[in-house]
């Protein structure tokens, strides 16, 4: 009986460890990778891109119009909208892509194994379409859109932190250009 109790304790402990590990690497609201796991996945994706000779797109997505909806309908409705957006995004991403939430209404998408630039544009067009579809909240339909900044590795041949910063800069360019669009970071333009 002592052996069974000990085995049960070990089983409970392992389950608790797994739960803590999940909380450390996944966003509590949306259950997609958080910044910590994104950092790991981005490092792996960069290493894979170097070995394979294929490209990687790092996309920084910010929802346009989220704050007014959150303010008007409340945080519960805002959380529901974020969960809905994650489900929509999962529906258009490929199995090898990563969707991570940085916090608030900011997400990062990693598109791996790209053989040509147009592949990322096709995925981004689908992302913009699903995000901009109306969302039911409190007996009404609300609309948000996405501003997305994109940088492509190895064309933008810098480390992971700077790649994220470049994608973030490109996202601000997309917002300035009118929202509901993506802007691709140009390393030569930035040098000027």
């Amino acid at each position: 009986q002592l052996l069974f109790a000990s085995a049960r304790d070990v089983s409970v402990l392992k389950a608790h460890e797994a739960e803590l590990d999940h909380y450390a690497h996944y966003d509590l609201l949306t259950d997609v990778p958080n910044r910590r796991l994104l950092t790991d996945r981005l490092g792996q994706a960069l290493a894979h891109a170097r070995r394979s000779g294929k490209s990687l797109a790092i996309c920084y997505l910010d929802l346009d119009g989220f704050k007014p909806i959150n303010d008007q309908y409340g945080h519960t409705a805002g959380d529901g909208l974020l969960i809905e957006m994650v489900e929509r995004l999962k529906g258009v991403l490929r199995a090898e892509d990563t969707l991570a939430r940085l916090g608030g209404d900011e997400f990062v998408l990693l598109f791996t194994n790209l053989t040509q630039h147009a592949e990322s544009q096709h995925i981004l067009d689908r992302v913009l379409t699903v995000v901009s579809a109306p969302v039911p909240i409190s007996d009404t339909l609300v609309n948000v859109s996405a501003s997305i900044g994109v940088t492509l590795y190895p064309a933008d041949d810098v480390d992971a932190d700077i790649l994220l910063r470049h994608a973030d800069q490109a996202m601000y360019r997309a917002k300035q250009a009118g929202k509901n669009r993506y802007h691709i970071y140009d390393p030569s333009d930035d040098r000027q």
Side-chain angles (χ1 to χ4, degrees):
Q1 190 161 15
L2 184 60
L3 184 60
F4 288 126
S6 179
R8 188 177 41 224
D9 289 346
V10 168
S11 174
V12 168
L13 186 60
K14 288 210 178 284
H16 185 65
E17 277 180 15
E19 187 178 5
L20 288 175
D21 186 63
H22 187 82
Y23 288 145
H25 294 96
Y26 288 85
D27 179 64
L28 294 177
L29 176 66
T30 60
D31 204 39
V32 295
N34 62 17
R35 185 181 297 269
R36 184 178 194 179
L37 184 53
L38 171 66
T39 300
D40 183 56
R41 291 214 180 151
L42 180 53
Q44 290 177 24
L46 288 168
H48 177 74
R50 284 184 205 105
R51 285 191 310 273
S52 69
K54 294 190 176 176
S55 294
L56 166 67
I58 300 94
C59 312
Y60 200 108
L61 182 152
D62 184 77
L63 293 176
D64 305 317
F66 175 74
K67 186 179 180 333
I69 291 170
N70 207 30
D71 291 345
Q72 182 176 354
Y73 297 102
H75 293 293
T76 302
D79 287 351
L81 184 130
L82 291 172
I83 292 166
E84 173 65 22
M85 287 301 136
V86 164
E87 290 309 310
R88 290 179 182 190
L89 291 169
K90 285 179 181 178
V92 297
L93 297 180
R94 303 167 308 162
E96 66 266 26
D97 297 332
T98 294
L99 166 63
R101 181 174 179 226
L102 299 182
D105 62 337
E106 295 181 334
F107 297 87
V108 171
L109 313 168
L110 299 180
F111 305 152
T112 58
N113 291 320
L114 300 173
T115 54
Q116 53 186 343
H117 175 68
E119 286 177 273
S120 66
Q121 291 175 321
H122 294 306
I123 303 166
L124 289 165
D125 289 337
R126 292 194 313 258
V127 166
L128 289 173
T129 299
V130 300
V131 169
S132 64
V135 179
I137 291 182
S138 301
D139 299 329
T140 189
L141 292 175
V142 299
N143 291 87
V144 294
S145 61
S147 292
I148 307 170
V150 183
T151 191
L152 299 165
Y153 179 88
D156 189 9
D157 192 5
V158 292
D159 69 34
D161 289 336
I162 296 174
L163 285 169
L164 281 172
R165 195 172 325 132
H166 288 171
D168 186 26
Q169 289 171 0
M171 182 271 296
Y172 279 103
R173 283 278 188 78
K175 279 198 180 293
Q176 291 170 342
K179 304 178 183 175
N180 193 30
R181 67 190 67 232
Y182 58 87
H183 179 83
I184 298 172
Y185 179 83
D186 182 354
S188 62
D189 187 44
D190 186 62
R191 277 192 292 274
Q192 290 174 354

